[in-house]
Amino acid sequence: MDAQSYSTALADLRTVRDQIKKIRAALTKQEADRDKLIIQLASYPKAKAERIAPAAGLGVADVVALAPALAPDSLAVNDALQPAAEPSTIQATPEAAASPPQQAAAAPAMATAAARPVPPPPARAEPAAPKTPAAAQTPRDLPSIPAGANGDAWLAATPGLASTRPNFTQQARSTVFLDTTTGVLVHRHQTHHLDLADRSAADLLTAVFHTISEGVERIYITAGDPWHRDADRHPYLRDAVAAWLNGPTPGWRTDTGRGRDRMAGHFVHARNPVGRYQRDNSDHHVEIRSVGEWFDVDGDDPATVRDAFVLLWQALRRHWPDAVLMGSPSQTGRDLWTRTIPQRGQHAEGFPVLSEELRGLLHATAGQGRNELITPPRVPEQLPQLVEYDRTFAYAKHTWKSPVGTPRRITARTFAAWSEKEQMRALYGCGHWQVRVTVPDGWDHVGLLPAPAPGDRAWHYPAEGGTTFTTWAGGPEIHTALTNPLTPWKIEILDGILWEDGKPLDDWAKKLKETWTNLFAQAHFQGDAQQARAAHLASRAVRAILLYGIGSFAQRPRMVTGTTPRTLERDVPPDAEIIGFDDEQITWQKPTGFSRDPNAHPEWAAAIWSGARAALLTQRHRDDNTHAGALHTAPGSVVAFRTDALYLTQPQSWPYHHQPGDYLLRGHLTGPVTAPTTEEELLMLRDTGRAALTAEREA
C-alpha cells in the first residue's frame, strides 16, 4: 500500500465510522421504543413476561428487569445474607501474620446482581477511607459457600461419576477439505473442483456428495466462511450463521446425535459454527466445520491443510497408538487425556467429579485469561513504542501440578489458627480462596488480582492505592500478591477450598509438549516449503488441543439452541433467550445446567488459568537467574494484557529458549503511537506491529 492508497483508505474508514454512529443512534432509539412498549404492555392485568419476551426478542429476565411487576413466582430471590466467618489477614512478615484478625462484614449474596447503569463514584470524604474499585458501584456479587451442613455437602463428589480410562477405540471419520471461495475440494490424495452455486448448506452437501458418493462424515471449510454469505442482511453475525445452518437442506435433516463422541443439533458460533446433518431415511451423518477451530489459515490451500492434519495425526500416534483426530481440538484433547488415566495405582478407579454446586461456584468465580486494556492517563496518550510479547504455548507450563480428589473447606477461623508455615504451604498448594484485598497506598503499577466487574466485563483488576474489594482467586495469584517484587498487598482470607496436590494432567501435557516440539522443529528445518507450512499449522493444532482441552475441563453450563416458527412464537420456551429471527422463524437458546459429564474438572482449568495469570505478572527463569513479566517493567509501561500476551511501551531483554511459557517477541511498532482505547484499535496495532517486525527481520 502506498501513501495515496493509505490516505484514501483512511477517508473510507472515517465514512464507515460515521455510518456506524448513525446506525447505532437509530438502534438506540428503536431499543428505547421497544422498552416503552414493554412497560406499556405490563400495565395490562393479564400480561405475562413469557408472552412478551419472544415478541420483544428478549429473554424473560430482560423483560422482568424493565417491568418488575411481571416477575413470576419462580424468579423470587431470597435476599437473606449468610453470616460471614471471621477473616484472617495475611501479611508479608511474621509480625503481621500474628496480628489478630479483623471482623468481617456480611458475606456476598448468592445471587448475581443484574447489570444496570453505573452511577459516578462519590467524592472521597476522607483520604483514609477505603475505596471501592473504579466504576464498581454496582458490582456483581460472587457466590459464597453456605455455612454449616449445607456448605459441607458441596464438597462431596457427585455420586457414581468419575473420569475413567475408556475401554473402546475411537473410530476415525472420513474427512474432506473444501475451499468455498475457489470450490477446490481435497479428499485423501485427490483434488476436485466443485460448483457450489450460492454456497448454502444444501449446495455444499449436494456438491460434495455428487463428487464423492459415500463415506464422507466430516467437511472442513478451509476458506470462504459460507455461513457469512448473507451477513449484510442480518444485524449480527450469529443471526447470519443461524440462518445458514437452519436453511432448507432437501434430503437432509438436523442430526439428532449418535455414538459416544457425537453431539446433537447445530452449534451456532459467529466464527466457527458446526452444522450437523443426517440424510433422510438413512444412518449417514455428516458435520460441516471450520478449520479455524484448529488454527488460523493464511491463504493456505486445502491440500496444505490436509497435510497438516496428516502430520498432526502421525505425530500424536507416536505417543498414543490409538489416537484419532476428532471434530474439534477440545474433543480430541479430552479423548487423548482419558487414554492417559492410570490403569493401576492410586487413580486407577478414576478421578471423582465435584458436586454440581462446587462446579457452579468455580464457574462463577474462576475466570480464564486476563484481558485488560490500560488507557490514558494510566499510560501516555502517545506511546513511544508498542511491543508485543507472547508466552509460547503458555498453558503447557502450568500443568505439572493440579488438584485431585475431593477438597476440604478451610474457613477463616481454621486458616487463622494455622502457623505461618502452614498458611504459606496452603497458599502454595492447590486451592481456591475467597479473600478481601486491599491495594497498598501509593501503588503505581498494574492490578494483581481480579475483581468482579459490573456490566459486560466479567473481571477487572483494581490498581488504585487504598482500594478494597472481595473476590475469589487461586493460590498462584494470592502468593504473587503477597510476595510481588514491589510492595506486598494485604490479603484477608474469608473462606477457601483446598485439594491434595496431584499430577492428573502431567503425562498428557508432556506428550503434547513433545509432539509440539517435534512439529515445531519440522516447520523450521523442513526443506519443502509446503511441508514446512503444514508442520507449522500442525504445531498450532497441538497448541489448540491443549488450550481447548483444558477449557473443556471447565465444563460450562450447557446451552441448547432451537428454532420455532414465527406463527408459533408462544411456544418459545419461557426461559429462552432470543438470539435471532427472520420472517419465518425465531432462533433461541436456553441454558440446561451441567450435564453428567464424567470428565468435568473445572478445578483443573481454574488452577491452570490462575497460574497463567500470575506468570503474566512475574515468572522466574531459573537457568538465566532472572525474572520476566509485567511487574518487571517500569510503571506506566504496560498497555494491555491479552490472555497470554503483554503489550508494552518498551522492549525487554527477557530470555527466550523456545520453551513453553517463554516470552516471545511477536510485534514491534516504533512510535509515536496513539494509545489504543478499544480492543479493535489494539488488534489493529497488533497486526501492524507484527507485520513491521516481520519486515524488519526479512530486510
Side-chain angles (χ1 to χ4, degrees), residues 351 578 631 660 662 695:
F351 296 94
I578 307 300
L631 293 180
D662 286 358

Side-chain angles (χ1 to χ4, degrees), residues 107-226:
M110 290 295 294
T112 300
R116 50 186 180 274
V118 180
R124 291 176 58 187
E126 295 292 340
K131 296 182 290 296
T132 54
Q137 299 306 304
T138 54
R140 293 179 301 118
D141 288 331
L142 297 181
S144 301
I145 304 176
N150 288 339
D152 294 341
W154 284 26
L155 276 67
T158 301
L161 197 62
S163 304
T164 57
R165 192 181 183 98
N167 56 6
F168 65 94
T169 301
Q170 287 288 2
Q171 298 299 309
R173 310 292 182 193
S174 177
T175 303
V176 299
F177 302 88
L178 174 64
D179 183 332
T180 60
T181 301
T182 63
V184 173
L185 174 79
V186 171
H187 178 227
R188 297 175 182 164
H189 295 289
Q190 297 179 332
T191 300
H192 307 272
H193 294 269
L194 310 185
D195 179 3
L196 300 178
D198 65 355
R199 301 190 304 153
S200 67
D203 292 330
L204 264 62
L205 293 170
T206 299
V208 168
F209 287 100
H210 176 74
T211 305
I212 303 170
S213 58
E214 59 184 33
V216 173
E217 296 178 274
R218 187 172 294 141
I219 302 170
Y220 275 123
I221 305 301
T222 65
D225 294 343

Side-chain angles (χ1 to χ4, degrees), residues 62-300:
D62 299 316
V63 171
V64 172
L66 288 166
L70 294 176
D73 294 339
S74 60
L75 292 182
V77 177
N78 180 4
D79 293 327
L81 299 180
Q82 296 286 345
E86 192 173 337
S88 176
T89 303
I90 307 300
Q91 301 284 4
T93 62
E95 293 79 10
S99 62
Q102 300 178 7
Q103 293 295 323
M110 290 295 294
T112 300
R116 50 186 180 274
V118 180
R124 291 176 58 187
E126 295 292 340
K131 296 182 290 296
T132 54
Q137 299 306 304
T138 54
R140 293 179 301 118
D141 288 331
L142 297 181
S144 301
I145 304 176
N150 288 339
D152 294 341
W154 284 26
L155 276 67
T158 301
L161 197 62
S163 304
T164 57
R165 192 181 183 98
N167 56 6
F168 65 94
T169 301
Q170 287 288 2
Q171 298 299 309
R173 310 292 182 193
S174 177
T175 303
V176 299
F177 302 88
L178 174 64
D179 183 332
T180 60
T181 301
T182 63
V184 173
L185 174 79
V186 171
H187 178 227
R188 297 175 182 164
H189 295 289
Q190 297 179 332
T191 300
H192 307 272
H193 294 269
L194 310 185
D195 179 3
L196 300 178
D198 65 355
R199 301 190 304 153
S200 67
D203 292 330
L204 264 62
L205 293 170
T206 299
V208 168
F209 287 100
H210 176 74
T211 305
I212 303 170
S213 58
E214 59 184 33
V216 173
E217 296 178 274
R218 187 172 294 141
I219 302 170
Y220 275 123
I221 305 301
T222 65
D225 294 343
W227 36 79
H228 293 163
R229 64 178 188 143
D230 293 327
D232 293 342
R233 296 172 50 191
H234 297 273
Y236 302 103
L237 277 180
R238 281 177 59 91
D239 296 343
V241 171
W244 189 88
L245 292 172
N246 292 300
T249 50
W252 298 84
R253 63 181 185 274
T254 301
D255 192 354
T256 55
R258 67 183 175 95
R260 298 173 184 265
D261 64 325
R262 306 290 293 200
M263 298 180 66
H266 304 313
F267 174 62
V268 180
H269 186 278
R271 301 292 178 185
N272 298 314
V274 181
R276 300 184 177 98
Y277 302 93
Q278 180 177 352
R279 195 185 291 274
D280 288 341
N281 304 317
S282 169
D283 194 37
H284 184 192
H285 303 250
V286 65
E287 291 181 330
I288 300 177
R289 309 188 74 114
S290 169
V291 164
E293 294 181 85
W294 292 86
F295 41 69
D296 292 330
V297 178
D298 185 15
D300 299 294

Side-chain angles (χ1 to χ4, degrees), residues 90-92 424 427 477-484 488-489 491:
I90 307 300
Q91 301 284 4
M424 295 310 292
L427 294 178
E477 294 167 283
I478 300 293
H479 185 263
T480 297
L482 290 169
T483 63
N484 74 81
W489 282 30
I491 307 293

Side-chain angles (χ1 to χ4, degrees), residues 502-523:
K503 295 181 176 293
L505 304 177
D506 194 44
D507 185 35
W508 173 72
K510 282 180 178 177
K511 290 178 177 179
L512 289 177
K513 282 186 279 189
E514 290 176 12
T515 303
W516 174 80
T517 300
N518 176 273
L519 291 168
F520 185 84
Q522 287 188 55

